[in-house]
C-alpha cells in the first residue's frame, strides 16, 4: 500500500493560507490542521491523540490523558487527595476522565450542552471560539465543586485562555479556592494571552498552574479568517451538497501517534529547548491556487515506531480491492492531489446488517461525568469492562481485523474504555473516535487532517434544536466493522432513519454494531423507582397513527388489541352515576354519513384560509414569546393536528424542525406524569409549549395548571409552563391563541379519521400501571376513510397566502393586552343554573365542544347564537340525526353550546329533559 510517509496533516492549510505552527518539535505528531465553517475562527487544530476527529489506537488516546493526570498528581503532592477534575464539552469530556484516572482518587465532572431537568445548575460559561458555546455544570452532588481543594480544568487545547478564564471567573465567585491547574494536550497561546492568565491569577489571589504535553503558537497572517471562509465556501460548493466523504483509495496517510511521552527528535531537528517551525509555507505559496499538489517537504512524521497508519482516500468513487474488507483503490488521481471530499455511499455498497449488542451496563453506573463520576464509579466500571468488551468481541465477525469504536459527542469515556479493553484482549486492530457537532471541511489530501466526512441528523433531540452531526475520517478507513456506542437518550428513530448515523456507517463498512449505554439521570427526591430513561420511546407512524413519523411522537402505549368501546348510553350512565370515569372506556367510533362528509369537505374548503391564518398567528406568538426553539407538546388528540400544523408553519416560515409530541391529559386525573418525566429527561422543560385545538370553558387549562403544580411538588422537576397555546380561544382562557372567534375547526367534525386514526386517550388501572404512559388505540381498519393528512395538507397549502397578515396580527397581539377574562367560564355557570343542570361539566361551550357532545355523549339540546350561519351546518345535521333540538338564544357568548343529558339513566327518554329534571 502506498504511504505518504513525510506528509504532515497540516501542510495543505499552511500552503494555502499561510497558517503556521511554531513550538515544540512534537507538535506535528500531535496536531494537524483543517478548516471549518465558523465565523469566529476558520482554522481548526485537529488532534491526532484525542479520539475525536481522527481514529486512533484507544491505548494511545487513554495513555496521553493518564500521563497528564500523573503529572498533575506529582505537581499537587498531598493536595491531590482533595482535587476535583473538570472537563470541557464536547471534545475534552473523555480526556478529562483519563486525567482523573491518572490523578488517582479524584472525582470528575464535565460540562455539558444537554440540559437535564431536575438537576440544579452549579455554574455555566461560554466558549468564545467554539461552534457551540454554552456550557452547563450539572453535578448530582451540589457540594462537588464547593470544596477548597485544587480544581483541575481539562481541555484538549489551550488556545486563548478565554474558556478557562470564563470558567474560573464563574466558579471562583461561587466557590473560591486558592489553587487551579489547567491541563491540555497542547498550549497554543500567544505571549499576550499567556500574560492574561498570569494577571488574572493575581487578580483573584489564586495560583494557576499549566500542565501540557507540548506547547507552541499558531501564526495567522492578516485576513486569514476571510480567506479561510472563502476557501471553505469554494470547496463545499464543489461537493454539490454531498453529505459524506468519498470512499477510500488504497493510499495511506500517516498520522503521527506518539505512544507516550514526546517522540524522538528527527535527524536535524532542533535540540532540547529549541523552537522548531513546522512547516513554513513555501515562498509565494500562501493562498496558492486550490487543487495543486501538496508540498513534499514540510514537517515530517514523528519518531520512528510512533506512527499510526490511517487509510487516506482520494476523493471520488472507488473500487473495492479484491481480498480486503473495506479498503479501496481509486481508479485515477495522482498521489497528493487535493480535491474536496464528496460523499455518499459507493455504487457497489450493499445494505449492511446492524447488530444491537446488550452490554449489560451495570445498573446505576453513570455513563460518564455529566453529573459526576466518583472513584467508586471508576472501580465499578473497571470491574465490568472485561465482560462488556467480551460481549462486543463475540458479536464482531470473525473476519473483522480492523474495527472502529465510535463514541457519541460528549459520550467519549465509556466508548474509549470499551475500545481499550477490546484492543487489550483481542488481536484486533482497534481504533477509536467520536461523532461531533462541529462542522469541518473535508478535503481528500494527505496533507489535510480531515480526509472524509459523514453527515447525519442529530439523534438525541438536542435542546438547541435539530441540526447536522458529523463523523470524520471514518469513510474510507478500511474498517471491517464499526461499533457505534450511544447513550439511550440518543437511541431514537433519527439514529435508525434512512439518513441516520447507522445508515451512513453501513454504507462504508460491512458490519455495524450498536451498543447503547443507559443515560444516567440523577434521581429526584421522592422520584418513582422507574427512571425516565426506562420509559419507552414515543410511538410513531406508520406503526402507530397515519401521520408521518417526523410529524409527531405519541407518548402513549398502544392498546389497539384491547376492546374498550361501549355503547354511548351505557358510558353516559356510568359516568354520571360515578360508576366509571369517561377515560376508562371509549365511545364507538362515529361513522359519518355521505352527507356529513360532504359538509366536512365544504367546511374545510371554506375555512382553510382562516385556519392557516390562526396557525400562523399562534406559532409566531410562541416563537416570539415562549421559546425560539419550542418543544411542541399537543394534548391528544384534538391538539395533535394543531401541533402538526404549527410545526409545519415553523418549517415553512423559519426553516425550523421543531420536535412535537402528543400526551394525554384527563379531566379530574391530570396530565400523564410519566410523559412529563420523559419530556424532562429529553428536553429542557422551559422549552415545552403545550398545544390544544381550542378552549371551551377552560377546564383543561385549569386541569393542566393544577397537574403541573402537583408534578413539580412530587417529582422535584421545575420549568414546565402550564400556559396552553390554542388555535381558538372563544372562552378567553389563555394568552396564546390564533383567534378568539368561535368558528368551525373542521378537525372537530370527525373523530379518529381526522386525528391520525388515534382514539381518545384511556386511563384505566388494569391497563395503565403507575409507571406506564396513558393508552390509546390505533384504528388501522378505518384507513379507507382517513382524512387526517388531507386536512393538514389543505391548511398548509394556504400558508403562503396568509403569511403576511398572520405575522402582522401576531406582532399586534404581542403588543396588546391578552389577559384572559374567563368570560366563557362565567357563561357556562350561568347556563348550568338557568337550565337546571347544576353541573358545569355537562355544559360544553363552543363549536368544537358541541360537536364532541353530538358525536360521543348523550346530548340533551344545543343552544345556538341567534343568526349563526354555516359554521353550524354540521351541528344542525348531527342534531337532526340524533333527535336533539337546537334552540336559538340571544346574546350567547359562543356560537353554540352543547348540553349533555343531565342525570342520565336508561329510563330517561325524550329530548325535552322533563323525564330527568323532576
Amino acid at each position: 500500500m502506498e504511504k505518504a510517509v513525510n506528509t504532515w496533516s497540516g501542510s495543505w492549510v499552511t500552503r494555502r493560507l499561510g497558517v503556521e505552527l511554531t513550538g515544540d518539535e512534537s507538535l506535528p505528531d500531535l496536531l494537524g490542521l483543517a478548516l471549518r465553517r465558523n465565523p469566529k475562527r476558520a482554522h481548526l487544530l485537529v488532534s491526532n491523540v484525542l479520539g475525536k476527529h481522527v481514529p486512533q489506537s484507544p491505548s494511545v488516546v487513554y495513555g496521553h490523558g493518564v500521563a497528564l493526570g500523573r503529572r498533575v498528581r506529582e505537581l499537587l503532592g498531598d493536595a491531590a487527595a482533595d482535587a476535583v477534575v473538570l472537563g470541557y464539552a464536547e471534545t475534552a469530556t473523555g480526556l478529562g476522565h483519563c486525567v482523573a484516572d491518572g490523578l488517582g482518587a479524584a472525582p470528575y465532572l464535565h460540562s455539558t450542552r444537554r440540559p437535564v431537568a431536575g438537576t440544579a445548575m452549579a455554574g455555566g460559561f461560554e466558549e468564545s471560539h467554539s461552534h457551540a458555546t454554552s456550557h452547563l455544570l450539572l453535578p448530582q452532588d451540589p457540594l462537588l465543586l464547593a470544596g477548597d481543594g485544587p480544581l483541575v480544568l481539562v481541555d484538549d487545547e489551550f488556545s486563548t485562555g478565554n474558556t478557562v478564564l470564563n470558567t474560573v471567573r464563574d466558579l471562583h465567585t461561587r466557590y473560591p479556592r486558592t489553587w487551579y491547574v489547567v491541563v491540555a494536550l497542547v498550549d497554543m497561546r500567544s505571549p499576550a494571552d499567556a500574560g492574561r492568565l498570569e494577571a488574572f491569577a493575581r487578580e483573584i489571589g489564586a495560583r494557576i498552574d499549566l500542565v501540557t504535553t507540548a506547547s507552541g503558537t499558531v501564526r495567522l497572517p492578516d485576513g486569514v479568517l476571510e480567506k479561510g471562509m472563502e476557501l471553505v465556501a469554494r470547496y463545499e460548493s464543489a461537493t454539490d451538497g454531498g453529505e459524506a466523504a468519498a470512499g477510500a483509495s488504497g493510499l495511506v496517510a500517516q498520522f503521527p501517534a506518539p505512544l507516550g511521552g514526546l517522540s524522538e527528535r528527527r535527524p536535524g531537528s532542533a535540540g532540547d529547548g529549541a523552537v522548531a517551525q513546522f512547516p513554513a509555507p513555501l515562498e509565494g505559496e500562501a493562498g496558492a491556487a486550490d487543487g495543486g499538489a501538496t508540498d513534499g517537504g514540510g514537517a515530517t512524521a514523528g519518531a520512528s515506531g510512533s506512527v499510526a497508519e490511517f487509510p487516506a482516500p482520494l476523493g471520488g468513487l472507488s473500487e473495492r480491492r479484491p481480498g480486503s474488507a473495506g479498503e479501496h483503490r481509486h481508479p485515477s488521481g495522482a498521489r497528493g492531489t487535493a480535491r474536496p471530499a464528496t460523499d455518499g455511499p459507493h455504487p457497489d455498497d450493499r445494505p449492511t446488517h446492524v447488530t444491537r449488542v446488550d452490554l449489560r451496563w451495570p445498573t446505576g453506573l453513570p455513563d460518564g461525568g455529566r453529573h459526576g463520576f466518583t472513584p467508586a464509579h471508576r472501580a465499578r466500571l473497571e470491574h465490568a469492562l472485561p465482560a462488556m468488551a467480551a460481549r462486543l468481541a463475540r458479536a464482531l465477525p470473525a473476519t473483522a481485523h480492523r474495527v472502529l469504536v465510535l463514541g457519541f459527542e460528549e459520550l467519549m469515556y465509556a466508548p474509549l474504555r470499551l475500545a481499550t479493553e477490546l484492543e487489550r484482549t483481542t488481536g484486533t486492530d482497534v481504533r477509536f473516535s467520536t461523532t461531533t457537532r462541529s462542522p469541518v471541511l473535508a478535503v481528500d489530501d494527505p496533507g489535510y487532517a480531515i480526509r472524509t466526512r459523514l453527515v447525519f441528523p442529530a439523534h438525541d433531540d438536542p435542546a438547541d434544536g435539530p441540526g447536522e452531526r458529523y463523523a470524520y475520517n471514518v469513510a474510507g478507513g478500511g474498517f471491517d466493522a464499526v461499533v457505534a456506542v450511544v447513550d439511550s437518550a440518543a437511541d431514537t428513530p433519527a439514529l435508525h432513519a434512512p439518513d441516520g448515523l447507522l445508515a451512513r456507517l453501513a454504507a462504508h463498512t460491512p458490519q455495524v454494531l450498536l451498543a447503547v449505554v443507559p443515560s444516567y439521570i440523577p434521581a429526584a427526591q421522592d422520584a418513582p423507582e422507574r427512571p425516565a430513561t426506562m420509559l419507552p420511546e414515543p410511538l410513531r407512524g406508520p406503526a402507530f397513527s397515519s401521520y408521518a413519523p417526523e410529524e409527531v411522537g405519541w407518548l402513549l402505549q398502544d392498546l389497539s388489541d384491547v376492546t374498550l368501546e361501549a355503547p354511548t348510553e351505557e358510558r353516559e350512565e356510568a359516568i354520571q352515576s360515578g360508576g366509571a370515569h369517561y377515560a376508562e372506556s371509549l365511545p364507538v367510533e362515529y361513522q359519518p354519513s355521505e352527507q356529513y362528509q360532504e359538509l366536512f369537505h365544504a367546511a374545510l374548503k371554506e375555512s382553510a384560509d382562516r385556519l392557516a391564518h390562526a396557525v400562523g398567528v399562534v406559532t409566531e406568538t410562541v416563537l416570539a414569546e415562549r421559546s425560539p426553539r419550542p418543544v411542541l407538546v399537543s394534548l391528544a388528540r384534538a391538539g395533535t393536528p394543531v401541533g402538526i400544523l404549527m410545526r409545519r408553519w415553523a418549517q415553512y416560515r423559519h426553516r425550523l424542525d421543531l420536535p412535537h409530541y402528543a400526551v394525554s391529559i384527563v379531566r379530574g386525573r391530570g396530565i400523564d406524569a410519566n410523559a412529563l418525566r420523559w419530556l424532562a429527561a429529553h428536553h429542557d422543560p422551559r422549552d415545552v409549549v403545550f398545544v390544544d385545538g381550542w378552549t371551551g370553558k377552560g377546564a383543561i387549562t385549569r386541569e393542566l395548571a393544577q397537574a403541573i403544580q402537583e408534578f413539580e411538588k412530587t417529582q422535584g422537576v421545575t420549568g414546565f409552563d402550564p400556559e396552553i397555546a390554542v388555535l381558538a380561544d372563544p372562552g378567553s382562557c389563555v394568552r396564546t391563541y390564533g383567534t378568539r372567534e368561535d368558528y368551525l375547526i373542521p378537525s372537530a367534525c370527525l373523530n379518529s379519521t381526522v386525528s391520525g386514526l388515534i382514539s381518545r386517550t384511556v386511563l384505566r388501572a388494569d391497563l395503565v400501571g403507575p409507571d406506564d404512559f396513558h393508552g390509546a388505540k390505533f384504528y388501522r381498519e378505518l384507513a379507507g376513510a382517513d382524512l387526517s393528512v388531507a386536512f393538514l395538507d389543505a391548511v398548509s397549502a394556504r400558508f403562503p397566502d396568509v403569511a403576511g397578515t398572520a405575522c402582522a396580527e401576531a406582532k399586534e397581539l404581542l403588543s396588546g393586552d391578552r389577559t384572559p377574562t374567563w368570560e366563557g367560564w362565567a357563561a357556562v355557570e350561568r347556563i348550568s343554573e338557568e337550565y337546571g343542570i347544576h353541573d358545569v361539566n355537562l355544559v360544553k361551550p363552543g363549536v368544537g365542544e358541541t360537536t364532541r357532545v353530538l358525536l360521543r355523549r348523550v346530548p340533551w339540546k344545543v343552544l345556538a347564537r341567534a343568526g349563526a350561519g354555516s359554521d353550524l351546518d354540521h351541528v344542525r345535521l348531527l342534531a337532526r340525526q340524533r333527535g336533539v333540538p337546537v334552540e336559538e338564544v340571544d346574546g350567547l357568548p359562543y356560537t353554540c353550546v352543547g348540553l349533555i343529558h343531565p342525570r342520565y339513566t336508561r329510563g330517561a327518554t325524550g329530548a325535552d329533559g322533563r323525564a330527568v329534571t323532576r
Side-chain angles (χ1 to χ4, degrees):
M1 183 182 294
E2 186 178 1
K3 300 178 182 180
V5 176
N6 294 322
T7 301
W8 173 51
S9 61
S11 58
W12 190 92
V13 174
T14 294
R15 291 177 61 86
R16 284 156 180 76
L17 297 182
V19 177
E20 305 172 23
L21 301 188
T22 65
D24 294 345
E25 63 179 12
S26 60
L27 281 178
D29 291 357
L30 299 172
L31 297 175
L33 290 173
L35 301 177
R36 59 182 178 175
R37 289 180 276 131
N38 188 323
K40 302 173 184 177
R41 194 172 79 173
H43 72 281
L44 178 70
L45 299 176
V46 180
S47 174
N48 295 323
V49 298
L50 182 64
K52 175 55 71 171
H53 300 85
V54 177
Q56 179 58 278
S57 162
S59 59
V60 170
V61 176
Y62 188 64
H64 272 76
V66 170
L68 285 167
R70 289 171 179 165
R71 290 175 57 193
V72 173
R73 185 175 61 192
E74 294 173 2
L75 172 69
L76 294 177
D78 292 341
D82 299 319
V84 175
V85 181
L86 174 63
Y88 288 91
E90 133 197 329
T91 53
T93 58
L95 178 63
H97 263 292
C98 299
V99 169
D101 285 359
L103 189 55
Y108 174 65
L109 176 75
H110 70 70
S111 67
T112 181
R113 296 188 176 100
R114 180 191 288 179
V116 178
T119 304
M121 190 172 74
F125 48 89
E126 297 293 314
E127 186 176 5
S128 58
H129 63 267
S130 174
H131 172 70
T133 56
S134 296
H135 290 249
L136 305 173
L137 298 178
L138 305 175
Q140 180 176 14
D141 179 2
L143 300 179
L144 180 63
L145 297 172
D148 56 3
L151 181 63
V152 181
L153 303 109
V154 183
D155 208 353
D156 57 316
E157 66 178 74
F158 198 40
S159 52
T160 64
N162 287 337
T163 304
V164 168
L165 290 177
N166 289 336
T167 310
V168 174
R169 180 177 289 110
D170 179 83
L171 291 178
H172 197 75
T173 302
R174 302 170 185 236
Y175 317 111
R177 63 188 75 225
T178 60
W179 199 350
Y180 296 89
V181 181
V182 179
V183 180
L185 289 169
V186 291
D187 173 14
M188 302 301 291
R189 292 172 300 159
S190 66
D193 286 329
R196 288 174 58 217
L197 187 63
E198 295 170 1
F200 179 70
R202 290 193 297 270
E203 175 189 330
I204 65 173
R207 173 179 174 178
I208 303 180
D209 288 300
L210 181 63
V211 176
T212 65
T213 301
S215 62
T217 60
V218 183
R219 292 182 178 175
L220 302 174
D222 293 339
V224 68
L225 178 59
E226 293 76 14
K227 292 178 182 177
M229 293 176 66
E230 188 276 331
L231 190 58
V232 170
R234 193 183 334 155
Y235 266 75
E236 286 191 331
S237 66
T239 67
D240 295 324
E243 291 182 340
S249 71
L251 295 180
V252 173
Q254 290 182 323
F255 291 104
L259 297 178
L262 299 179
S263 60
E264 299 175 13
R265 292 195 300 273
R266 290 182 293 274
S269 67
D272 291 338
V275 176
Q277 182 169 310
F278 306 105
L282 300 181
E283 185 173 351
E285 282 294 312
D290 303 318
T294 59
D295 56 306
T300 61
S304 175
S306 64
V307 175
E309 294 183 354
F310 177 79
L314 294 179
L317 300 176
S318 56
E319 299 175 332
R320 293 192 182 277
R321 194 174 57 194
S324 88
E327 296 182 345
H328 305 73
R329 182 181 302 279
H330 195 275
S332 62
R335 173 180 176 271
T337 301
R339 51 176 61 82
T342 57
D343 210 357
H346 312 308
D348 60 343
D349 281 331
R350 302 180 300 275
T352 304
H353 182 58
V354 176
T355 301
R356 185 182 288 266
V357 180
D358 183 2
L359 293 173
R360 300 182 192 172
W361 186 265
T363 303
L365 178 65
D367 54 289
R370 180 177 288 114
H371 304 295
F373 201 85
T374 67
H377 292 146
R378 192 174 301 120
R380 287 190 66 198
L381 177 61
E382 295 289 348
H383 178 74
L385 272 175
M388 291 192 292
R391 293 182 188 103
L392 287 177
R394 287 194 295 269
L396 288 170
T399 56
H401 302 296
R402 183 175 171 85
V403 174
L404 174 69
V405 177
L406 183 67
F408 158 64
E409 297 186 29
E410 294 178 10
L411 185 70
M412 295 186 70
Y413 182 66
L416 171 61
R417 296 308 311 279
L418 288 167
T420 306
E421 189 67 15
L422 197 63
E423 182 183 46
R424 186 185 70 83
T425 57
T426 69
T428 307
D429 179 12
V430 180
R431 290 291 181 266
F432 169 73
S433 63
T434 52
T435 64
T436 177
R437 59 169 51 211
S438 179
V440 185
L441 175 69
V443 177
D444 193 5
D445 186 275
Y448 189 80
I450 302 296
R451 301 294 299 276
T452 66
R453 181 177 73 179
L454 297 179
V455 184
F456 50 93
H459 52 90
D460 62 337
D461 291 329
D464 57 351
E468 291 182 347
R469 299 295 185 263
Y470 312 91
Y472 295 111
N473 293 324
V474 175
F479 297 112
D480 304 319
V482 175
V483 181
V485 183
V486 304
D487 62 10
S488 56
D491 185 19
T492 64
L495 175 67
H496 301 266
D499 62 343
L501 171 61
L502 298 181
R504 291 286 184 254
L505 294 173
H508 296 278
T509 185
Q511 180 71 39
V512 177
L513 274 60
L514 173 64
V516 179
V517 177
S519 302
Y520 182 73
I521 305 296
Q525 188 175 5
D526 299 324
E529 293 182 3
R530 183 177 182 180
T533 53
M534 296 297 290
L535 290 168
E537 290 301 303
L539 301 173
R540 295 182 184 273
F544 188 83
S545 90
S546 59
Y547 293 132
E550 67 273 10
E551 300 263 42
V552 60
W554 302 84
L555 294 177
L556 298 170
Q557 62 168 311
D558 189 354
L559 300 179
S560 299
D561 296 331
V562 181
T563 300
L564 294 165
E565 292 77 11
T568 303
E569 292 79 3
E570 291 182 7
R571 292 185 73 247
E572 195 65 53
E573 180 181 3
I575 292 168
Q576 291 195 33
S577 67
H581 191 277
Y582 76 87
E584 294 178 348
S585 63
L586 293 174
V588 177
E589 279 289 304
Y590 170 72
Q591 298 300 305
S593 66
E594 183 176 344
Q595 183 182 6
Y596 189 82
Q597 290 187 57
E598 291 174 357
L599 277 177
F600 168 82
H601 288 291
L604 179 57
K605 182 177 180 180
E606 181 179 332
S607 64
D609 278 339
R610 190 162 51 171
L611 289 170
H613 178 89
V615 169
V617 172
V618 68
T619 309
E620 293 295 330
T621 302
V622 165
L623 292 173
E625 191 171 62
R626 301 285 293 275
S627 171
R629 286 188 177 273
V631 177
L632 302 178
V633 177
S634 59
L635 304 182
R637 66 187 170 181
T640 304
V642 177
I644 295 175
L645 286 170
M646 291 176 66
R647 184 179 182 276
R648 289 188 177 190
W649 180 278
Q651 288 176 317
Y652 159 72
R653 189 69 180 173
H654 301 282
R655 297 184 179 180
L656 293 175
D657 191 14
L658 302 181
H660 174 215
Y661 306 97
V663 302
S664 169
I665 187 169
V666 176
R667 179 173 52 80
R669 304 285 180 87
I671 197 167
D672 187 341
N674 289 316
L676 292 183
R677 290 173 55 219
W678 191 96
L679 289 167
H682 293 79
H683 298 281
D684 185 342
R686 293 170 296 182
D687 290 329
V688 168
V689 176
F690 295 102
V691 175
D692 207 357
W694 56 85
T695 62
K697 55 183 173 286
I700 291 298
T701 304
R702 297 186 177 194
E703 187 79 43
L704 180 61
Q706 293 171 0
I708 294 297
Q709 184 179 18
E710 181 66 20
F711 180 79
E712 291 181 344
K713 184 189 303 181
T714 59
Q715 303 290 320
V717 177
T718 61
F720 286 110
D721 186 344
E723 175 75 24
I724 304 177
V726 298
L727 197 62
D729 179 35
S732 188
C733 306
V734 298
R735 295 183 69 257
T736 308
Y737 54 85
T739 181
R740 276 185 168 156
E741 296 180 39
D742 182 21
Y743 60 78
L744 172 63
I745 298 175
S747 60
C749 290
L750 302 172
N751 285 328
S752 66
T753 52
V754 78
S755 305
L757 298 181
I758 300 301
S759 73
R760 65 176 307 159
T761 59
V762 175
L763 179 59
R764 205 170 80 189
D766 61 325
L767 299 174
V768 179
D771 296 321
D772 295 329
F773 292 141
H774 294 188
K777 297 184 70 168
F778 175 26
Y779 291 116
R780 298 170 178 84
E781 65 274 16
L782 299 181
D786 187 24
L787 297 170
S788 304
V789 176
F791 168 71
L792 298 173
D793 290 346
V795 178
S796 302
R798 307 296 178 91
F799 286 170
D801 299 330
V802 303
T805 57
C807 291
E809 183 172 338
K811 186 176 181 180
E812 183 178 343
L813 283 176
L814 286 165
S815 62
D817 182 11
R818 292 171 286 134
T819 304
T821 64
W822 293 92
E823 63 183 53
W825 188 275
V828 166
E829 289 181 325
R830 185 176 65 252
I831 292 171
S832 175
E833 295 305 312
E834 287 180 0
Y835 284 82
I837 298 174
H838 310 300
D839 184 352
V840 293
N841 291 323
L842 301 183
V843 180
K844 302 294 185 180
V847 177
E849 291 299 302
T850 301
T851 304
R852 286 179 166 184
V853 169
L854 292 167
L855 291 176
R856 303 178 189 168
R857 306 295 291 271
V858 176
W860 177 29
K861 60 180 63 179
V862 172
L863 309 182
R865 181 193 296 158
S870 59
D871 277 338
L872 291 188
D873 285 349
H874 77 292
V875 169
R876 295 187 181 97
L877 175 61
L878 285 174
R880 284 198 303 272
Q881 291 175 346
R882 300 205 61 182
V884 176
V886 177
E887 178 181 321
E888 289 200 352
V889 178
D890 291 327
L892 196 66
Y894 295 92
T895 302
C896 63
V897 176
L899 304 182
I900 297 173
H901 220 308
R903 294 183 298 281
Y904 185 83
T905 68
R906 290 187 205 176
T909 57
D912 60 1
R914 292 177 184 172
V916 296
T917 57
R918 291 179 180 175

